[in-house]
Amino acid sequence: MEVLYVFLIIVSIISSGLSLNLDYLDPVKLQTKVSPQIQQDTALSIINKYLNNVQVEVNPIMFNDHKDVFALRISNNQLHIRASTGVAAVWGFNYYLKKYCKSQIAWQVQRVFIPSPLPDVDEVVIANDRFRYYQNVCTASYSFVWWKTDDWRLHIEWMALNGINLALAPVAQEAAWARIYRQLGMSDDDIKDHFTGPAFLAWLRMGNVHGWGGPLPQSWHDQQRDIQDKIVDLMFKLGMIPVFPAFNGHVPRAFESIFPNITVYNVSTWNKFDADYCCNLFIDPKEPVFKTIGKMFLREIVAGTGTGNIYTADPFNEVEVQPWSTSLVQETAKSIFSTISEVDKDAVWLLQNWMFVHNPMLWPLKRVRNFLTSVPNGRMLILDLQSEQWPQFDLYEMYYGQPFIWCMLHNFGGTLGMFGNMRTINEDVYKTRNRDNSTMIGIGLTPEGINQNYVVYDLMLESAWRTGPVEDLNKWVGDYAERRYGCNKTATAWKYLLKSVYNFSGLNRIRGKYVVTKRPSFRIRPWAWYKSSDLFDALKGLIFNDICNSPGFLHDVVDVTRQALQYRIDQLYINLSKDRFSNTLIFNYTINRFLDAMTDMENILATNDDFTSGQWIDLARRMSTTEIDSYFYELNARNQITLWGPKGEITDYACKQWAELIHYYYKPRWARFLEIALDAKMKKEIFDEKRAQAVVRYTVEEKFLTTTFDILPRDNTISLALNLYQKWAFVSDLDDLPLTVIKKTPERRTTLADTDIDGEESIETNPSVIMLHSTTPID
C-alpha cells in the first residue's frame, strides 16, 4: 500500500508539471534584494563604459510570468532601456550591440563598434525561462583560481551582458572553515594539513582529496574574503542571484579524534590518490553534529553579505561512502535540506546531477528517486549538467517533479580543442522546454573551464531569448564571425567549421587529450568526427583575405591553425606507430616529421598571448607578495595542468595547448620517449614502453614543475599561418582519422559511465556503457 501511495504522489507531481511549487524559485523575489534604483545605477555604470547617450529604467513591474524582460527604443539618438532588473538592462544593451551594431564582448576578446547615429530599435524581449545559470563547481579551480577582484568584476559584467541571473558566488569557503574548525577543536597544524593548495580546492570541497598542494596561508583567506564581499555585493546590485555553498557532510580526518563518539564513514579512493591525500571522512547524516556543523558553516559563509536563498551541495561527487545504501543517500538529502531550511526558511538546494552520471551503477533509478523526493518539491533545483550530450531528465522522469536547468557542460578541465554539437543545442533546448509536463525552468552554461570555443557558448546563450531554433546555422555563424571580426569575408570559412569541428553529435567522451597532449605511448587510438579537408578549407577561408585584422580574428586564426596541426599530429602518430616496425631510417624520418609538426604548433601558439602560459602561471605568482607563497602557487598552477597530483594521478586531464607547454613539456616528453624507442630498435632490443614512460616521468614531467621559461620567438600570426597552411594542407601520405563516433540510440535511455576510455568502441561492445531502460525497476 505504501509503494502505491508513493507511486501516486510521483504521478501527481509529473502530471502537474510546473504548476506545482515554484514559490521558492521566483526571480521576482530573488532578483530584487536591492532597490530598483541601485540596480539601475549599477547597470548604467557598466553600459556607460561603451555608450554614454543611454537612459536606463529598472522596474520589477516589467517581469512577465516571473521572467526577466527588457525593452529597447531609440529616441532623439538616445538608447532607452527599460528592464525588470539591472542584469536584464545590461543584457538588453548587449542584445542591442550584437543585433543592431554587429559587435561582440567575449571572454578573451571584444570588438565594440557603435554607429552614429544609433541604429533604430523598438523591441521588447521576454526571457524564455526563469533562470540563466552559469558555472560548474570545478570552474573555480580550472579558470578562476588566480583571479583578483578586478578580474572577477569584469567577468560579472560579462555575465550581466549575457543575461545570467543565477551563478555560483566567489566564496572564501576555506576562510570560513578555518574559523569553524578552530571553534570545533582542530589545531592549526591539522587545518593546514587538511587544506589543499588553491588549484585543487574544488575537490577538497567535494571530499575527493585533502592536503595536496597546501597549506593555505592567511593572506589567501584574507584576499578571498575581500573578493567575496565585493563581488557578491556587485551581483546583488545587478539583480543577480549568488549561489552559496552548504555543508555536504565531508569533514577532515582529524574529526575522528575530536569527535570519537560520533559515527563517521570512510570515503572511497578517488582517482588513485593514496592515503596521504585521499580521502576525507563523511559524517553519518543522522548524527546531530551533521546539522550543527552545517548551520555553523551557513551562518559563517553569508555573514556580512546576505544570501540569495539558493545553496549548492554535492555530497557524493565521484565518491562512494561506506557503507553505501539507499538509506544513506536518502538520510543525507534530508539532513542537508533540513539544515539549510532551518537557517533560511526560503532555502532552495541547488544540485549538480553529475554524481548520477559519473557512476550510474551506484545510482539505480529507485535510489535516485528516493534521494530527490526526500526534499520537498520545489525546494531542490537540479542542474542537468551535460544535457547537450548525456541528458538525464528523461531517465529520471523529469527528476520526479523537481525543477531542473538544461545545461551545456561542453568542456572538461579547461582543455583546448575545437569541438561542439551546435546542431543539438540549437534544437534540443527548445524541444525540452516545450514538452508537456516539462520541469525545465532554465538554461545554463556549466563548463569546467572557459576561454575556448566561444561560438558554442554564444549560441547557447541565445536560447535564453530565442523563441525557436536558429533557422539557418550557416548564416548564423557567418553573422557571428562578422560581429567578432568586424568584416564579412569569413562566412565560407565558418561554414566549414560548422560542418567539421562543430558538428559533433556522438556520445564519445571529449576530454581534450589529443596525441599532442597525451602521455607518450604506442597504444593511443586517434579518431575524429570530421574530415581534415573541411578543417583546412576553413583555415584557407580565414587566412586568404586582406581585410580582417581584429583581435578576435587573430585569435581564431591561431586556434584553427592549432586545430589543423593537432589533426596532422594525430595522423603522423598513426604513421609513426606503423613505421616503428619498418627500418631504422624510415622510423627516424617519421619521428622527425612528427616532432616538426609539434614545433610548428608551438610557433603559431606563441604569436598570441591567449595561447601562452602567462595567463595562468604569471597570474598564480602575482597572488602573493611573498616569494615562498608565490613559489607554492606556481607549483599548484604547473601541477594542475600536467601531473594533476603528486604521482600523476590524473595526468593531462587539465592539459593546455599553450606555446610553453609544447616547448617545455609535450614535445620533450615525446622526443625522449621516441628516442628510447629508436635506440631500442637500433640495438635490436625489445622496447619496454612502461620503463620508457618512467624515464619520461622523471626527466621531463617532474622536471617541468621547476623549469625556468625563456621568452619564445614570436612571429607574425597571419604570415606564419599562411606558411603552415602551405606546408600541411596537402600531404599525400596521411589518411584521414577514422570516423569513430558512438551514436545516440533514441529508443533507449543511455548513460555512459565516466571511466577512462577514449570512446573508440561502439555502444554495443563498450563494457563501460550501461543501458538503463525506463521500465527497468533497478535498485
Side-chain angles (χ1 to χ4, degrees):
M1 192 68 183
E2 181 181 348
V3 173
L4 178 60
Y5 176 72
V6 171
F7 176 77
L8 290 174
I9 290 178
I10 294 170
V11 170
S12 174
I13 290 172
I14 298 301
S15 64
S16 59
L18 289 180
S19 63
L20 262 168
N21 177 20
L22 292 178
D23 290 345
Y24 295 88
L25 288 165
D26 184 0
V28 179
K29 300 176 183 176
L30 297 173
Q31 290 185 247
T32 54
K33 299 286 185 176
V34 300
S35 70
Q37 185 64 51
I38 292 176
Q39 295 194 34
Q40 181 175 299
D41 293 343
T42 308
L44 189 60
S45 68
I46 295 173
I47 296 169
N48 282 162
K49 292 182 178 182
Y50 306 96
L51 180 66
N52 287 320
N53 53 326
V54 60
Q55 184 182 75
V56 173
E57 177 190 347
V58 170
N59 191 339
I61 200 171
M62 289 188 67
F63 270 103
N64 186 310
D65 191 23
H66 307 276
K67 299 168 185 174
D68 263 322
V69 176
F70 59 81
L72 308 174
R73 182 174 59 86
I74 295 291
S75 177
N76 297 323
N77 198 40
Q78 185 180 53
L79 175 62
H80 292 254
I81 303 175
R82 297 177 60 244
S84 50
T85 58
V87 70
V90 181
W91 189 19
F93 174 68
N94 193 40
Y95 178 92
Y96 180 74
L97 285 182
K98 292 174 65 175
K99 184 174 180 179
Y100 295 92
C101 303
K102 292 187 179 298
S103 297
Q104 184 190 78
I105 301 173
W107 283 327
Q108 293 167 294
V109 299
Q110 65 173 260
R111 194 198 70 84
V112 177
F113 172 74
I114 303 176
S116 181
L118 294 175
D120 193 34
V121 61
D122 188 0
E123 189 172 356
V124 177
V125 174
I126 303 172
N128 287 326
D129 311 291
R130 295 189 175 211
F131 300 107
R132 284 83 56 199
Y133 174 80
Y134 179 55
Q135 290 183 50
N136 184 303
V137 293
C138 298
T139 324
S141 291
Y142 284 131
S143 290
F144 307 153
V145 58
W146 311 123
W147 285 7
K148 292 190 174 182
T149 302
D150 287 345
D151 304 301
W152 266 109
R153 194 180 303 278
L154 285 173
H155 204 61
I156 295 296
E157 291 178 5
W158 172 85
M159 290 161 56
L161 286 162
N162 288 280
I164 291 163
N165 65 342
L166 178 65
L168 299 182
V171 179
Q173 293 191 42
E174 287 65 45
W177 278 123
R179 290 190 288 272
I180 292 170
Y181 290 155
R182 290 189 184 100
Q183 293 176 42
L184 294 173
M186 277 181 70
S187 68
D188 286 345
D189 287 341
D190 284 339
I191 293 172
K192 288 180 180 179
D193 289 343
H194 176 66
F195 287 153
T196 66
F200 307 99
L201 289 176
W203 302 276
L204 169 77
R205 296 165 181 175
M206 292 181 286
N208 304 124
V209 296
H210 67 263
W212 171 241
L216 291 174
Q218 184 60 43
S219 60
W220 174 269
H221 297 318
D222 295 341
Q223 187 178 67
Q224 295 304 304
R225 184 74 196 195
D226 182 62
I227 291 171
Q228 174 183 339
D229 291 346
K230 291 175 180 176
I231 298 307
V232 169
D233 181 63
L234 177 59
M235 294 175 77
F236 279 129
K237 286 180 176 179
L238 282 166
M240 198 177 291
I241 308 161
V243 178
F244 287 88
F247 177 55
N248 58 17
H250 295 273
V251 293
R253 289 201 164 272
F255 271 48
E256 281 186 302
S257 57
I258 295 173
F259 298 100
N261 297 320
I262 68 169
T263 301
V264 292
Y265 301 126
N266 288 317
V267 176
S268 61
T269 299
W270 184 74
N271 280 306
K272 301 179 182 178
F273 276 83
D274 61 27
D276 288 339
Y277 300 110
C278 181
C279 297
N280 302 321
L281 298 174
F282 190 83
I283 297 180
D284 187 309
K286 295 188 296 297
E287 289 281 1
V289 72
F290 188 105
K291 294 176 70 172
T292 300
I293 294 172
K295 290 178 180 180
M296 290 175 69
F297 179 65
L298 214 57
R299 292 184 178 117
E300 182 72 39
I301 210 69
V302 301
T305 63
T307 179
N309 303 117
I310 300 182
Y311 307 90
T312 181
D314 295 292
F316 306 115
N317 184 72
E318 301 188 4
V319 294
E320 180 181 356
V321 174
Q322 299 296 339
W324 185 252
S325 68
T326 297
S327 175
L328 172 69
V329 303
Q330 190 172 16
E331 290 300 323
T332 300
K334 291 177 180 178
S335 291
I336 290 175
F337 177 72
S338 62
T339 299
I340 62 175
S341 61
E342 286 174 21
V343 173
D344 179 352
K345 63 181 178 59
D346 297 319
V348 174
W349 176 8
L350 181 76
L351 175 77
Q352 293 190 161
N353 77 340
W354 188 249
M355 56 188 179
F356 311 145
V357 177
H358 176 71
N359 193 341
M361 287 297 290
L362 294 179
W363 291 96
L365 299 182
K366 183 179 177 181
R367 182 168 294 158
V368 174
R369 184 180 67 233
N370 287 351
F371 179 84
L372 297 180
T373 56
S374 295
V375 176
N377 185 264
R379 306 298 295 273
M380 176 182 276
L381 177 59
I382 298 162
L383 303 177
D384 196 280
L385 209 64
Q386 197 178 8
S387 303
E388 85 280 12
Q389 189 175 22
W390 299 344
Q392 304 293 294
F393 45 81
D394 275 334
L395 180 62
Y396 303 124
E397 299 177 30
M398 289 290 170
Y399 292 103
Y400 309 105
Q402 297 285 19
F404 77 94
I405 292 177
W406 197 108
C407 298
M408 184 184 76
L409 200 163
H410 181 266
N411 180 271
F412 290 82
T415 58
L416 297 184
M418 300 181 74
F419 84 96
N421 45 1
M422 292 180 67
R423 299 191 188 280
T424 296
I425 65 175
N426 187 44
E427 297 173 358
D428 287 8
V429 179
Y430 305 94
K431 291 179 181 177
T432 306
R433 176 187 290 130
N434 297 325
R435 280 170 48 176
D436 291 339
N437 304 320
S438 176
T439 60
M440 172 183 163
I441 63 170
I443 60 106
L445 304 182
T446 52
E448 286 191 350
I450 64 170
N451 292 334
Q452 38 71 38
N453 294 289
Y454 192 77
V455 64
V456 182
Y457 299 89
D458 200 45
L459 177 65
M460 181 64 196
L461 286 164
E462 289 193 5
S463 70
W465 57 262
R466 286 187 175 276
T467 57
V470 174
E471 293 183 4
D472 186 347
L473 277 178
N474 281 316
K475 182 180 183 303
W476 187 90
V477 293
D479 291 341
Y480 167 88
E482 185 175 356
R483 296 196 307 270
R484 187 170 174 85
Y485 305 156
C487 65
N488 60 1
K489 298 296 183 181
T490 63
T492 300
W494 273 90
K495 288 180 182 178
Y496 280 112
L497 290 175
L498 180 62
K499 179 183 179 183
S500 56
V501 292
Y502 293 122
N503 193 34
F504 174 74
S505 60
L507 290 175
N508 310 60
R509 293 169 63 249
I510 303 289
R511 294 293 190 271
K513 291 194 290 184
Y514 304 92
V515 167
V516 67
T517 56
K518 279 194 174 184
R519 197 154 192 241
S521 170
F522 284 122
R523 296 175 295 164
I524 302 171
R525 288 179 288 174
W527 62 278
W529 61 95
Y530 59 93
K531 296 180 180 179
S532 63
S533 59
D534 290 329
L535 180 57
F536 276 91
D537 280 341
L539 178 58
K540 179 177 68 175
L542 288 178
I543 61 179
F544 282 90
N545 77 75
D546 56 359
I547 297 177
C548 303
N549 194 34
S550 63
F553 175 73
L554 295 175
H555 174 101
D556 290 355
V557 167
V558 173
D559 205 14
V560 177
T561 307
R562 176 207 53 73
Q563 185 75 18
L565 288 169
Q566 172 189 286
Y567 193 104
R568 287 290 186 248
I569 290 169
D570 280 5
Q571 292 174 296
L572 288 166
Y573 169 83
I574 293 175
N575 281 14
L576 195 68
S577 299
K578 296 175 183 176
D579 290 346
R580 72 188 181 107
F581 299 110
S582 184
N583 63 57
T584 303
L585 184 65
I586 291 176
F587 186 38
N588 186 47
Y589 166 77
T590 309
I591 289 173
N592 290 333
R593 194 179 179 203
F594 175 78
L595 296 176
D596 181 51
M598 296 185 75
T599 299
D600 287 342
M601 180 182 283
E602 171 195 323
N603 290 338
I604 191 66
L605 293 172
T607 68
N608 191 293
D609 288 342
D610 292 343
F611 298 91
T612 61
S613 65
Q615 60 183 314
W616 181 252
I617 293 176
D618 291 351
L619 293 185
R621 290 196 63 87
R622 76 164 188 172
M623 292 298 286
S624 176
T625 57
T626 69
E627 188 60 31
I628 187 66
D629 288 344
S630 293
Y631 168 79
F632 279 111
Y633 291 165
E634 182 174 354
L635 193 66
N636 266 248
R638 291 189 184 221
N639 180 270
Q640 191 212 80
I641 61 177
T642 54
L643 297 176
W644 214 121
K647 299 178 181 178
E649 285 81 353
I650 324 179
T651 296
D652 300 327
Y653 180 84
C655 58
K656 300 294 186 291
Q657 292 181 43
W658 293 336
E660 293 85 355
L661 269 291
I662 302 293
H663 185 84
Y664 292 104
Y665 192 74
Y666 299 128
K667 183 181 175 183
R669 69 178 183 176
W670 270 111
R672 182 60 48 84
F673 178 83
L674 294 171
E675 176 188 24
I676 296 171
L678 180 62
D679 183 66
K681 184 175 183 63
M682 293 174 67
K683 293 178 179 178
K684 301 187 185 303
E685 297 175 349
I686 296 175
F687 173 63
D688 186 338
E689 179 169 299
K690 188 173 182 180
R691 291 304 303 157
Q693 289 177 329
V695 172
V696 169
R697 176 70 87 195
Y698 63 75
T699 61
V700 178
E701 294 175 339
E702 293 174 0
K703 184 179 178 182
F704 173 81
L705 298 179
T706 54
T707 297
T708 300
F709 290 175
D710 295 323
I711 297 175
L712 299 178
R714 185 163 185 157
D715 207 337
N716 175 272
T717 297
I718 300 301
S719 60
L720 180 57
L722 180 58
N723 290 338
L724 293 179
Y725 173 81
Q726 293 170 336
K727 179 178 179 179
W728 291 106
F730 306 101
V731 185
S732 60
D733 64 332
L734 298 180
D735 295 328
D736 265 358
L737 299 176
L739 301 176
T740 310
V741 177
I742 301 177
K743 297 181 178 179
K744 297 180 180 179
T745 311
E747 66 274 11
R748 291 186 287 187
R749 297 177 179 184
T750 309
T751 298
L752 273 73
D754 191 56
T755 54
D756 191 18
I757 61 167
D758 289 323
E760 290 85 357
E761 304 90 340
S762 69
I763 270 188
E764 283 72 22
T765 60
N766 187 338
S768 68
V769 173
I770 300 166
M771 297 299 181
L772 297 176
H773 300 265
S774 59
T775 56
T776 306
I778 306 174
D779 190 11

